[in-house]
Amino acid sequence: MRRSAVTAVMATSVLLFAAGCSSGSNDPPGSPERRGPASASSAAQSPPSTGGSGGSGALPPAKGSVTVAGEVATGLASPWGLAPLPDGDLLTTSRDEGTITRIDAESGRKTVIGSVSGVAPGGEGGLMGLALSPSYASDHMVYAYFTTESDNRIARMLYDEKKPTGQQLGAPDTVFRGIPKGFIHNGGRIAFGPDKMLYAGTGETGDTGLAQDKKSLGGKILRMTPDGEPAHGNPEADSVVYSYGHRNVQGLAWDAEKRLWAAEFGQDTYDELNLIEPGKNYGWPEAEGKAGKEGFVDPVAQWNTDEASPSGIAWAEGSIWMAGLKGERLWRIPLDGAETLDHPQPFLEGDYGRLRTVVAAGGDKLWLVTSETDRRGSPEEGDDRILDLRVK
């Protein structure tokens, strides 16, 4: 693994963006695609909680609702990451085209602001996760996770919003490299946490042994500074590895108590929603779903793989909201502290096809990104969209 740390100007103002971040210390919160056959077994969901475990404020209703308020944009090709800008517009990545597009949230007008050099799309790899610097208001840095010919890496780019046309993104400045790449299981989600540190979900590329190898960056959740260095408070001071034993993490979100949640793809039996704690082992490939094995952390909720294949997640209105690819539905998981309040509840079943990314937009509002281009096989045939949702 090689890292190149580049100094950036960091201001004291903090932007709340895609992962629902809030300001905090540099200590970690909570400290002391699948491709393949799916099982025919029925869904096994988490049972209702028998009591609270540290939550605060009013609990969400056991059963909620989703209303589609409108379509923010249509005609998108292989959209993957999504990041709200301070003025309410959105940035989204095209996995297969290697571009970043700005979307006017009022009119839906799309403007390609630049291509990201070095992106090598293929299989489940390409230009994926997207996040804004915690100091975006002053440094205008956009972070992206992408696949190259040799690895997966994270780079940041200066976004010149004042430039009227053409390439408004600066050259990628790599802050972290050496994440294993594969045709499958490249992970790809990045987000800044409440502690202003950068988190990344990675996959084990189909090489299952990487998930249990703490020296490998595959099958992990990583935590680093905005410059790509190991963050203070990590389980090992010289490592960015925050948790391990993951198969393919594509969902990261924090709740109101700054607990980190992650969704990951199972293989043939169970997909998972996990509550992440530093240094813990989440089992893959020795455990899939609630195995009850010593030394491994069981998921808080699990799904039959036909009903989920989870990608992005968001926290809003007291619940985790989880986008399902193969499951073609949006899952709501109401929380009572660190436990489920009731059974997960599905919405939009089959209405919009595969669902890739969900982002909290404040209050009861979510943005939801579809992923039908995968089904059709080429960006030219894609007509993916971003939906404006109201939830409770």
Side-chain angles (χ1 to χ4, degrees):
M1 177 189 73
R2 296 182 292 122
R3 287 193 301 271
S4 62
V6 182
T7 303
V9 178
M10 303 301 291
T12 57
S13 59
V14 178
L15 174 70
L16 302 180
F17 60 95
C21 305
S22 60
S23 62
S25 72
N26 288 342
D27 291 326
S31 291
E33 306 244 14
R34 183 190 69 253
R35 292 291 187 271
S39 168
S41 63
S42 61
Q45 299 175 341
S46 176
S49 166
T50 56
S53 57
S56 63
L59 294 177
K63 300 300 179 184
S65 65
V66 171
T67 301
V68 179
E71 294 182 338
V72 179
T74 61
L76 297 170
S78 60
W80 211 102
L82 189 70
L85 290 164
D87 66 359
D89 285 356
L90 304 171
L91 295 182
T92 185
T93 57
S94 171
R95 185 193 64 188
D96 299 338
E97 295 185 337
T99 57
I100 296 179
T101 297
R102 181 172 183 144
I103 297 170
D104 186 305
E106 295 296 326
S107 67
R109 182 170 60 90
K110 302 184 292 290
T111 304
V112 176
I113 63 171
S115 297
V116 180
S117 62
V119 174
E124 295 176 6
L127 181 57
M128 295 178 285
L130 194 64
L132 303 185
S133 161
S135 299
Y136 180 83
S138 59
D139 64 27
H140 300 286
M141 287 291 179
V142 176
Y143 285 69
Y145 181 115
F146 59 92
T147 310
T148 72
E149 293 290 353
S150 60
D151 64 358
N152 285 297
R153 63 183 60 177
I154 301 169
R156 60 187 171 200
M157 296 153 283
L158 178 65
Y159 175 25
D160 184 359
E161 295 188 50
K162 295 181 180 179
K163 188 176 180 180
T165 58
Q167 180 84 13
Q168 296 173 277
L169 291 175
D173 175 14
T174 300
V175 297
F176 196 83
R177 67 181 76 223
I179 302 168
K181 63 164 286 187
F183 189 77
I184 59 173
H185 303 176
N186 288 288
R189 194 71 62 183
I190 57 174
F192 281 94
D195 54 4
K196 307 178 194 175
M197 297 296 107
L198 179 60
Y199 293 73
T202 75
E204 33 78 305
T205 72
D207 181 352
T208 59
L210 297 184
Q212 289 295 319
D213 180 0
K214 288 194 281 186
K215 295 182 179 180
S216 170
L217 298 172
K220 307 294 188 297
I221 293 176
L222 311 179
R223 178 177 179 262
M224 65 191 77
T225 70
D227 293 329
E229 297 295 333
H232 174 74
N234 279 2
E236 296 182 13
D238 62 347
S239 173
V240 298
V241 173
Y242 191 65
S243 63
Y244 66 108
H246 300 288
R247 187 168 183 265
N248 191 25
V249 177
Q250 289 188 2
L252 298 171
W254 288 264
D255 64 21
E257 300 300 317
K258 301 182 182 180
R259 289 176 287 243
L260 174 59
W261 298 82
E264 69 177 272
F265 296 85
Q267 180 168 276
D268 297 328
T269 311
Y270 295 123
D271 295 320
E272 300 178 359
L273 176 68
N274 287 294
L275 178 60
I276 303 301
E277 298 180 61
K280 294 299 180 67
N281 185 345
Y282 287 80
W284 180 254
E286 305 301 323
E288 182 180 357
K290 296 185 178 183
K293 293 184 178 181
E294 184 177 357
F296 302 140
V297 179
D298 279 349
V300 173
Q302 64 186 24
W303 291 261
N304 176 283
T305 54
D306 281 333
E307 295 190 337
S309 293
S311 188
I313 63 172
W315 183 88
E317 297 294 287
S319 298
I320 293 290
W321 300 84
M322 187 176 81
L325 290 166
K326 188 174 182 180
E328 298 187 358
R329 66 199 78 179
L330 178 68
W331 285 97
R332 174 186 182 268
I333 305 96
L335 297 178
D336 178 359
E339 302 177 14
T340 56
L341 179 65
D342 206 323
H343 295 299
Q345 184 180 7
F347 294 97
L348 308 178
E349 296 180 62
D351 292 345
Y352 295 94
R354 295 160 54 86
L355 305 178
R356 168 70 66 184
T357 295
V358 58
V359 171
D364 64 349
K365 183 175 180 178
L366 296 175
W367 284 296
L368 180 65
V369 180
T370 71
S371 190
E372 281 294 273
T373 298
D374 281 346
R375 186 194 305 279
R376 299 184 179 102
S378 70
E380 291 75 19
E381 298 173 0
D383 185 21
D384 283 312
R385 59 202 63 212
I386 299 173
L387 304 174
D388 179 4
L389 307 182
R390 298 295 182 274
V391 302
K392 68 177 181 180

